[in-house]
Amino acid sequence: PGKYTVHDRLGWTFMRLGSPGQALQSFKTCLDLVPSYGPCLYGLGRAQEARGQKSDARKSYEKYLSKHPNGSHADRVRERMGP
């Protein structure tokens, strides 16, 4: 695994600790390293959603689905996006 996975894990740790702002930065760093890494795209959307950035979250979810339509988080992304 590369450095990007460390930022993914760190992002989810921040989310569990209730710090979506710090999670957002970790997921962005991950995506700077690997722009289409699915778990970080999903994590970015979740962090944005937790911060009330609904429009940005939707864009992140849409990007996730465009890159990973059958990815491990695809069903959860579709649920979060709603109709």
Side-chain angles (χ1 to χ4, degrees), residues 5 7 13-14 23 25 27-28 30 32 39-40 45 48 51 53 55 62 67 69 72-73:
T5 60
H7 293 287
T13 299
F14 283 130
Q25 291 307 313
F27 292 128
K28 283 183 177 182
C30 174
D32 285 343
C40 285
Q48 290 164 325
R51 290 175 52 91
Q53 300 169 336
S55 176
E62 288 171 350
K67 301 285 185 184
S72 60
H73 300 291

PDB file of all heavy atoms in Angstrom, residues 5 7 13-14 23 25 27-28 30 32 39-40 45 48 51 53 55 62 67 69 72-73:
ATOM      1  N   THR A   5      -3.120   5.338   1.187  1.00  0.00           N
ATOM      2  CA  THR A   5      -3.978   4.540   2.071  1.00  0.00           C
ATOM      3  C   THR A   5      -3.888   5.010   3.517  1.00  0.00           C
ATOM      4  O   THR A   5      -4.853   4.891   4.262  1.00  0.00           O
ATOM      5  CB  THR A   5      -3.646   3.038   1.976  1.00  0.00           C
ATOM      6  OG1 THR A   5      -2.300   2.820   2.356  1.00  0.00           O
ATOM      7  CG2 THR A   5      -3.907   2.508   0.585  1.00  0.00           C
ATOM      8  N   HIS A   7      -3.657   8.123   4.395  1.00  0.00           N
ATOM      9  CA  HIS A   7      -4.558   9.272   4.474  1.00  0.00           C
ATOM     10  C   HIS A   7      -6.020   8.831   4.475  1.00  0.00           C
ATOM     11  O   HIS A   7      -6.859   9.449   5.137  1.00  0.00           O
ATOM     12  CB  HIS A   7      -4.283  10.249   3.333  1.00  0.00           C
ATOM     13  CG  HIS A   7      -2.937  10.894   3.450  1.00  0.00           C
ATOM     14  ND1 HIS A   7      -2.654  11.854   4.395  1.00  0.00           N
ATOM     15  CD2 HIS A   7      -1.785  10.675   2.773  1.00  0.00           C
ATOM     16  CE1 HIS A   7      -1.389  12.218   4.281  1.00  0.00           C
ATOM     17  NE2 HIS A   7      -0.841  11.511   3.306  1.00  0.00           N
ATOM     18  N   THR A  13     -10.563   7.683  10.597  1.00  0.00           N
ATOM     19  CA  THR A  13     -10.342   7.831  12.045  1.00  0.00           C
ATOM     20  C   THR A  13     -10.884   9.174  12.513  1.00  0.00           C
ATOM     21  O   THR A  13     -11.585   9.252  13.527  1.00  0.00           O
ATOM     22  CB  THR A  13      -8.845   7.695  12.381  1.00  0.00           C
ATOM     23  OG1 THR A  13      -8.404   6.390  11.987  1.00  0.00           O
ATOM     24  CG2 THR A  13      -8.595   7.895  13.862  1.00  0.00           C
ATOM     25  N   PHE A  14     -10.585  10.235  11.767  1.00  0.00           N
ATOM     26  CA  PHE A  14     -11.124  11.554  12.122  1.00  0.00           C
ATOM     27  C   PHE A  14     -12.650  11.557  12.080  1.00  0.00           C
ATOM     28  O   PHE A  14     -13.297  12.172  12.934  1.00  0.00           O
ATOM     29  CB  PHE A  14     -10.572  12.648  11.204  1.00  0.00           C
ATOM     30  CG  PHE A  14      -9.164  13.068  11.524  1.00  0.00           C
ATOM     31  CD1 PHE A  14      -8.204  13.134  10.518  1.00  0.00           C
ATOM     32  CD2 PHE A  14      -8.793  13.410  12.815  1.00  0.00           C
ATOM     33  CE1 PHE A  14      -6.905  13.530  10.803  1.00  0.00           C
ATOM     34  CE2 PHE A  14      -7.489  13.810  13.116  1.00  0.00           C
ATOM     35  CZ  PHE A  14      -6.544  13.870  12.100  1.00  0.00           C
ATOM     36  N   ALA A  23     -10.938  15.199   8.704  1.00  0.00           N
ATOM     37  CA  ALA A  23     -11.142  14.083   7.775  1.00  0.00           C
ATOM     38  C   ALA A  23     -11.120  14.594   6.340  1.00  0.00           C
ATOM     39  O   ALA A  23     -10.499  13.981   5.469  1.00  0.00           O
ATOM     40  CB  ALA A  23     -12.464  13.384   8.078  1.00  0.00           C
ATOM     41  N   GLN A  25      -9.563  17.078   5.065  1.00  0.00           N
ATOM     42  CA  GLN A  25      -8.186  17.345   4.639  1.00  0.00           C
ATOM     43  C   GLN A  25      -7.438  16.049   4.327  1.00  0.00           C
ATOM     44  O   GLN A  25      -6.688  15.984   3.355  1.00  0.00           O
ATOM     45  CB  GLN A  25      -7.436  18.153   5.695  1.00  0.00           C
ATOM     46  CG  GLN A  25      -7.936  19.573   5.829  1.00  0.00           C
ATOM     47  CD  GLN A  25      -7.961  20.312   4.498  1.00  0.00           C
ATOM     48  OE1 GLN A  25      -7.010  20.291   3.725  1.00  0.00           O
ATOM     49  NE2 GLN A  25      -9.087  20.954   4.201  1.00  0.00           N
ATOM     50  N   PHE A  27      -8.766  13.158   3.334  1.00  0.00           N
ATOM     51  CA  PHE A  27      -9.283  12.597   2.086  1.00  0.00           C
ATOM     52  C   PHE A  27      -8.798  13.395   0.882  1.00  0.00           C
ATOM     53  O   PHE A  27      -8.469  12.828  -0.162  1.00  0.00           O
ATOM     54  CB  PHE A  27     -10.812  12.514   2.107  1.00  0.00           C
ATOM     55  CG  PHE A  27     -11.345  11.510   3.098  1.00  0.00           C
ATOM     56  CD1 PHE A  27     -12.302  11.875   4.016  1.00  0.00           C
ATOM     57  CD2 PHE A  27     -10.884  10.207   3.105  1.00  0.00           C
ATOM     58  CE1 PHE A  27     -12.806  10.958   4.925  1.00  0.00           C
ATOM     59  CE2 PHE A  27     -11.370   9.271   4.015  1.00  0.00           C
ATOM     60  CZ  PHE A  27     -12.332   9.651   4.923  1.00  0.00           C
ATOM     61  N   LYS A  28      -8.710  14.717   1.012  1.00  0.00           N
ATOM     62  CA  LYS A  28      -8.205  15.539  -0.088  1.00  0.00           C
ATOM     63  C   LYS A  28      -6.735  15.218  -0.382  1.00  0.00           C
ATOM     64  O   LYS A  28      -6.330  15.159  -1.540  1.00  0.00           O
ATOM     65  CB  LYS A  28      -8.366  17.029   0.227  1.00  0.00           C
ATOM     66  CG  LYS A  28      -9.781  17.522   0.044  1.00  0.00           C
ATOM     67  CD  LYS A  28      -9.868  19.014   0.303  1.00  0.00           C
ATOM     68  CE  LYS A  28     -11.267  19.536   0.040  1.00  0.00           C
ATOM     69  NZ  LYS A  28     -11.338  20.990   0.236  1.00  0.00           N
ATOM     70  N   CYS A  30      -5.268  12.365   0.175  1.00  0.00           N
ATOM     71  CA  CYS A  30      -5.313  11.061  -0.477  1.00  0.00           C
ATOM     72  C   CYS A  30      -5.602  11.229  -1.965  1.00  0.00           C
ATOM     73  O   CYS A  30      -4.927  10.631  -2.817  1.00  0.00           O
ATOM     74  CB  CYS A  30      -6.384  10.197   0.187  1.00  0.00           C
ATOM     75  SG  CYS A  30      -6.684   8.610  -0.618  1.00  0.00           S
ATOM     76  N   ASP A  32      -5.148  13.864  -3.786  1.00  0.00           N
ATOM     77  CA  ASP A  32      -4.035  14.535  -4.468  1.00  0.00           C
ATOM     78  C   ASP A  32      -3.023  13.499  -4.962  1.00  0.00           C
ATOM     79  O   ASP A  32      -2.403  13.673  -6.001  1.00  0.00           O
ATOM     80  CB  ASP A  32      -3.328  15.521  -3.535  1.00  0.00           C
ATOM     81  CG  ASP A  32      -4.115  16.798  -3.304  1.00  0.00           C
ATOM     82  OD1 ASP A  32      -5.047  17.095  -4.084  1.00  0.00           O
ATOM     83  OD2 ASP A  32      -3.799  17.501  -2.319  1.00  0.00           O
ATOM     84  N   PRO A  39     -12.267   4.707  -2.189  1.00  0.00           N
ATOM     85  CA  PRO A  39     -12.562   4.916  -0.773  1.00  0.00           C
ATOM     86  C   PRO A  39     -12.396   6.376  -0.333  1.00  0.00           C
ATOM     87  O   PRO A  39     -13.151   6.858   0.503  1.00  0.00           O
ATOM     88  CB  PRO A  39     -11.571   3.994  -0.062  1.00  0.00           C
ATOM     89  CG  PRO A  39     -11.364   2.875  -1.035  1.00  0.00           C
ATOM     90  CD  PRO A  39     -11.356   3.570  -2.387  1.00  0.00           C
ATOM     91  N   CYS A  40     -11.432   7.070  -0.929  1.00  0.00           N
ATOM     92  CA  CYS A  40     -11.248   8.479  -0.549  1.00  0.00           C
ATOM     93  C   CYS A  40     -12.299   9.382  -1.186  1.00  0.00           C
ATOM     94  O   CYS A  40     -12.696  10.374  -0.589  1.00  0.00           O
ATOM     95  CB  CYS A  40      -9.835   8.952  -0.873  1.00  0.00           C
ATOM     96  SG  CYS A  40      -8.625   8.300   0.292  1.00  0.00           S
ATOM     97  N   GLY A  45     -16.926  12.640   0.256  1.00  0.00           N
ATOM     98  CA  GLY A  45     -18.359  12.939   0.251  1.00  0.00           C
ATOM     99  C   GLY A  45     -18.965  12.859   1.639  1.00  0.00           C
ATOM    100  O   GLY A  45     -19.752  13.721   2.035  1.00  0.00           O
ATOM    101  N   GLN A  48     -17.817  15.890   3.653  1.00  0.00           N
ATOM    102  CA  GLN A  48     -18.511  17.087   3.186  1.00  0.00           C
ATOM    103  C   GLN A  48     -19.951  17.087   3.683  1.00  0.00           C
ATOM    104  O   GLN A  48     -20.464  18.117   4.137  1.00  0.00           O
ATOM    105  CB  GLN A  48     -18.463  17.159   1.656  1.00  0.00           C
ATOM    106  CG  GLN A  48     -17.084  17.452   1.126  1.00  0.00           C
ATOM    107  CD  GLN A  48     -16.933  17.158  -0.349  1.00  0.00           C
ATOM    108  OE1 GLN A  48     -17.515  16.215  -0.877  1.00  0.00           O
ATOM    109  NE2 GLN A  48     -16.108  17.960  -1.023  1.00  0.00           N
ATOM    110  N   ARG A  51     -20.215  18.059   7.227  1.00  0.00           N
ATOM    111  CA  ARG A  51     -19.982  19.496   7.433  1.00  0.00           C
ATOM    112  C   ARG A  51     -21.095  20.355   6.841  1.00  0.00           C
ATOM    113  O   ARG A  51     -21.003  21.571   6.834  1.00  0.00           O
ATOM    114  CB  ARG A  51     -18.637  19.892   6.827  1.00  0.00           C
ATOM    115  CG  ARG A  51     -17.455  19.334   7.610  1.00  0.00           C
ATOM    116  CD  ARG A  51     -16.124  19.617   6.953  1.00  0.00           C
ATOM    117  NE  ARG A  51     -15.928  21.020   6.617  1.00  0.00           N
ATOM    118  CZ  ARG A  51     -15.352  21.926   7.421  1.00  0.00           C
ATOM    119  NH1 ARG A  51     -14.926  21.576   8.600  1.00  0.00           N
ATOM    120  NH2 ARG A  51     -15.201  23.164   7.010  1.00  0.00           N
ATOM    121  N   GLN A  53     -21.995  20.432   3.687  1.00  0.00           N
ATOM    122  CA  GLN A  53     -21.653  20.831   2.317  1.00  0.00           C
ATOM    123  C   GLN A  53     -22.320  19.857   1.339  1.00  0.00           C
ATOM    124  O   GLN A  53     -21.670  19.082   0.641  1.00  0.00           O
ATOM    125  CB  GLN A  53     -20.127  20.825   2.142  1.00  0.00           C
ATOM    126  CG  GLN A  53     -19.422  21.774   3.079  1.00  0.00           C
ATOM    127  CD  GLN A  53     -17.918  21.565   3.098  1.00  0.00           C
ATOM    128  OE1 GLN A  53     -17.408  20.494   2.778  1.00  0.00           O
ATOM    129  NE2 GLN A  53     -17.191  22.609   3.484  1.00  0.00           N
ATOM    130  N   SER A  55     -23.957  20.114  -1.540  1.00  0.00           N
ATOM    131  CA  SER A  55     -23.666  20.213  -2.965  1.00  0.00           C
ATOM    132  C   SER A  55     -22.305  19.591  -3.291  1.00  0.00           C
ATOM    133  O   SER A  55     -22.156  18.843  -4.264  1.00  0.00           O
ATOM    134  CB  SER A  55     -23.715  21.674  -3.411  1.00  0.00           C
ATOM    135  OG  SER A  55     -23.348  21.800  -4.753  1.00  0.00           O
ATOM    136  N   GLU A  62     -21.052  11.711  -7.086  1.00  0.00           N
ATOM    137  CA  GLU A  62     -21.207  11.530  -8.535  1.00  0.00           C
ATOM    138  C   GLU A  62     -19.881  11.128  -9.183  1.00  0.00           C
ATOM    139  O   GLU A  62     -19.844  10.269 -10.066  1.00  0.00           O
ATOM    140  CB  GLU A  62     -21.755  12.805  -9.177  1.00  0.00           C
ATOM    141  CG  GLU A  62     -23.219  13.043  -8.857  1.00  0.00           C
ATOM    142  CD  GLU A  62     -23.728  14.407  -9.294  1.00  0.00           C
ATOM    143  OE1 GLU A  62     -22.915  15.280  -9.683  1.00  0.00           O
ATOM    144  OE2 GLU A  62     -24.961  14.605  -9.231  1.00  0.00           O
ATOM    145  N   LYS A  67     -16.490   6.901 -11.681  1.00  0.00           N
ATOM    146  CA  LYS A  67     -15.230   6.149 -11.720  1.00  0.00           C
ATOM    147  C   LYS A  67     -15.401   4.699 -11.279  1.00  0.00           C
ATOM    148  O   LYS A  67     -14.674   3.819 -11.714  1.00  0.00           O
ATOM    149  CB  LYS A  67     -14.180   6.815 -10.819  1.00  0.00           C
ATOM    150  CG  LYS A  67     -13.856   8.241 -11.172  1.00  0.00           C
ATOM    151  CD  LYS A  67     -13.003   8.307 -12.397  1.00  0.00           C
ATOM    152  CE  LYS A  67     -12.590   9.742 -12.678  1.00  0.00           C
ATOM    153  NZ  LYS A  67     -11.832   9.856 -13.905  1.00  0.00           N
ATOM    154  N   PRO A  69     -18.667   2.609 -10.803  1.00  0.00           N
ATOM    155  CA  PRO A  69     -20.106   2.329 -10.768  1.00  0.00           C
ATOM    156  C   PRO A  69     -20.479   1.034 -10.055  1.00  0.00           C
ATOM    157  O   PRO A  69     -21.586   0.902  -9.535  1.00  0.00           O
ATOM    158  CB  PRO A  69     -20.508   2.284 -12.238  1.00  0.00           C
ATOM    159  CG  PRO A  69     -19.246   2.050 -12.985  1.00  0.00           C
ATOM    160  CD  PRO A  69     -18.144   2.647 -12.165  1.00  0.00           C
ATOM    161  N   SER A  72     -17.126  -0.963  -4.241  1.00  0.00           N
ATOM    162  CA  SER A  72     -17.587  -1.489  -2.954  1.00  0.00           C
ATOM    163  C   SER A  72     -18.499  -0.523  -2.195  1.00  0.00           C
ATOM    164  O   SER A  72     -19.267  -0.950  -1.342  1.00  0.00           O
ATOM    165  CB  SER A  72     -16.393  -1.877  -2.080  1.00  0.00           C
ATOM    166  OG  SER A  72     -15.572  -0.751  -1.832  1.00  0.00           O
ATOM    167  N   HIS A  73     -18.423   0.764  -2.509  1.00  0.00           N
ATOM    168  CA  HIS A  73     -19.267   1.753  -1.822  1.00  0.00           C
ATOM    169  C   HIS A  73     -20.423   2.242  -2.694  1.00  0.00           C
ATOM    170  O   HIS A  73     -21.186   3.111  -2.275  1.00  0.00           O
ATOM    171  CB  HIS A  73     -18.440   2.966  -1.397  1.00  0.00           C
ATOM    172  CG  HIS A  73     -17.318   2.625  -0.461  1.00  0.00           C
ATOM    173  ND1 HIS A  73     -17.530   2.202   0.828  1.00  0.00           N
ATOM    174  CD2 HIS A  73     -15.982   2.646  -0.634  1.00  0.00           C
ATOM    175  CE1 HIS A  73     -16.368   1.974   1.406  1.00  0.00           C
ATOM    176  NE2 HIS A  73     -15.404   2.235   0.539  1.00  0.00           N
TER     177      HIS A  73
END
